[in-house]
Amino acid sequence: MKNIGVLTGGGDCPGLNATIRAVVRKGIKDYNYKMYGILEGWRGLIEGTTKELDMYSVSGILPRGGTILGTSRTNPFGEENSGDPERILRNIKALDLHAIVAIGGDDTQGVAYKLFKMGVNVVGIPKTIDNDILCTDYTFGFDTAVNIVTEAIDRLHTTAESHNRVMVVEVMGRHAGWIATFAGIAGGADIIMIPEKPVDMEDVYQSIIRRHKLGKKFSIVVVSEGVKIPAADQEKAGFVLQSAKTDAFGHVMLGGVGSILANLIEKRTGFETRHTVLGHTQRGGTPTAFDRILSTRFGIAAIESIHKGEFGKIVVLKGNEIMSVDLKDIIGKNKTVDDYWYDIAKVFFG
Ligand code: F6P
């Protein structure tokens, strides 16, 4: 009987529990694996904190947001963590883990790849609301986030219309504008601002003014948190940050661009403007049916990969097919919004 570990790393997102359920059920039912949950991402493997997952322990978790295993942004290869990779290797040996399923975004998969190069049998599953992982059409979590933002835009439309206001909606996505673009298209945004496209504030002002001259009394602006504000429009050009701190993988804490934009728009256009930051609501709660199905397919494919002895891989969605690609092909770079999607969104600007 082989022991298999499963962990969730990085920011949580809807669909993690659905994935854990699929991995555990497939592993036990089809291959008689003994399944272990590794607690709080890579930290659990450094500290050796695990719990056995049987069929009963994953019952009822399919619709639940968050992760029953906990998560963290632990980087065993970070500068302050010397000795952690060796601790991980020791724990893998002590727990007699044949393979590890790493459910996570770019950072988690980067660690998985480094461990694979050190001889660990790993298979990755791509998760993130940001949808910024290369080689997969979609990550799970993204569809749920898009639906949450779309509903928020629908709600903001009615209040914006009643008060003749401009509404600025700030959404997550880090350095990729997928959530803003998809939810903006689905919600009928009048302007969508994403990190992939340079900001021209004069364009934004003129577009809103033109709209209002044509008789529209409100506008909805969706802005991605990773948009850089040009120097002319705020004291310091660049990202708007919540704090000067960075996480274990060197990421800055984005947030606040919506409020700056709302002030600029109100000052320059004279239209009353409000902003809304959707923040972590985009990551909470139950996954959509699409995300539950994608999570389930990914979980099952990861176990199949282990059964076939295919390691150093990540399962991905291409078209409607689940396949796997080498981990080395997806790490270190982000998948960003291409012109195909932005051109669709642009038709509805102004
Ligand atoms: O990567 C997912 C994400 O939600 C990003 O969209 C966002 O920038 C970041 O995580 C927020 O991280 P934290 O959970 O540390 O606030």
Side-chain angles (χ1 to χ4, degrees):
M1 188 190 268
K2 284 176 175 155
N3 296 337
I4 309 294
V6 53
L7 64 83
T8 52
D12 72 337
C13 79
L16 286 169
N17 284 325
T19 314
I20 296 165
R21 170 179 174 267
V23 165
V24 169
R25 286 189 69 113
K26 178 78 179 168
I28 295 174
K29 268 186 111 169
D30 284 8
Y31 300 120
N32 201 26
Y33 293 151
K34 197 160 187 183
M35 304 299 299
Y36 286 94
I38 297 159
L39 305 184
E40 298 182 359
W42 295 115
R43 185 189 295 150
L45 217 44
I46 296 168
E47 293 171 2
T49 42
T50 58
K51 67 172 176 197
E52 195 186 329
L53 296 173
D54 56 15
M55 297 283 240
Y56 178 77
S57 62
V58 295
S59 154
I61 67 171
L62 170 69
R64 265 171 61 191
T67 159
I68 59 163
L69 299 177
T71 185
S72 68
R73 295 192 198 277
T74 305
N75 181 5
F77 295 92
E79 271 168 25
E80 302 102 54
N81 302 359
S82 72
D84 282 354
E86 292 69 28
R87 252 171 243 137
I88 286 182
L89 295 183
R90 272 203 301 275
N91 280 327
I92 289 174
K93 214 167 167 204
L95 295 159
D96 192 23
L97 292 178
H98 168 66
I100 291 162
V101 178
I103 311 170
D106 186 48
D107 298 329
T108 305
Q109 304 307 340
V111 172
Y113 181 57
K114 284 182 181 148
L115 290 173
F116 170 67
K117 284 197 293 185
M118 293 168 80
V120 179
N121 292 339
V122 292
V123 176
I125 298 183
K127 71 89 228 189
T128 167
I129 62 164
D130 302 340
N131 197 37
D132 59 353
I133 298 188
L134 284 174
C135 298
T136 188
D137 291 349
Y138 296 105
T139 54
F140 73 82
F142 172 65
D143 183 67
T144 307
V146 168
N147 275 279
I148 293 167
V149 177
T150 303
E151 193 200 329
I153 296 173
D154 287 349
R155 290 178 186 279
L156 290 167
H157 254 114
T158 61
T159 166
E161 203 167 4
S162 310
H163 286 266
N164 300 341
R165 281 173 174 159
V166 178
M167 289 288 184
V168 177
V169 193
E170 178 184 318
V171 302
M172 282 185 168
R174 208 162 249 164
H175 304 298
W178 290 106
I179 298 177
T181 306
F182 271 50
I185 293 172
D190 304 305
I191 295 170
I192 301 171
M193 300 168 73
I194 57 173
E196 290 84 346
K197 298 286 165 196
V199 169
D200 181 341
M201 283 311 295
E202 204 44 49
D203 228 39
V204 173
Y205 305 141
Q206 288 314 322
S207 180
I208 294 172
I209 291 168
R210 228 178 6 255
R211 227 181 101 76
H212 288 230
K213 272 194 188 142
L214 288 172
K216 289 283 183 186
K217 294 208 166 72
F218 71 96
S219 294
I220 305 284
V221 179
V222 178
V223 60
S224 193
E225 62 178 359
V227 155
K228 285 185 184 162
I229 302 285
D233 302 293
Q234 67 163 358
E235 272 173 33
K236 217 168 135 262
F239 298 127
V240 182
L241 302 178
Q242 285 183 53
S243 94
K245 281 196 293 192
T246 52
D247 70 13
F249 291 90
H251 299 296
V252 290
M253 276 175 75
L254 297 167
V257 70
S259 122
I260 290 178
L261 279 182
N263 283 332
L264 289 170
I265 291 170
E266 183 165 290
K267 228 170 41 205
R268 183 63 174 74
T269 64
F271 302 128
E272 195 177 24
T273 306
R274 295 283 192 270
H275 78 275
T276 302
V277 182
L278 293 177
H280 293 82
T281 56
Q282 294 161 93
R283 283 196 348 215
T286 190
T288 57
F290 179 89
D291 275 338
R292 294 181 199 191
I293 292 167
L294 185 58
S295 300
T296 301
R297 293 178 78 194
F298 277 162
I300 284 171
I303 291 296
E304 285 296 6
S305 191
I306 291 175
H307 176 65
K308 287 189 219 142
E310 292 174 355
F311 300 111
K313 304 268 182 195
I314 181 164
V315 296
V316 293
L317 176 72
K318 284 197 178 163
N320 195 26
E321 248 186 274
I322 304 286
M323 43 186 80
S324 64
V325 297
D326 288 338
L327 269 173
K328 72 167 167 19
D329 292 340
I330 64 112
I331 54 177
K333 270 177 277 153
N334 282 349
K335 182 185 71 176
T336 49
V337 176
D338 48 49
D339 282 345
Y340 168 76
W341 289 110
Y342 194 71
D343 289 347
I344 290 177
K346 253 185 5 198
V347 172
F348 304 95
F349 286 4

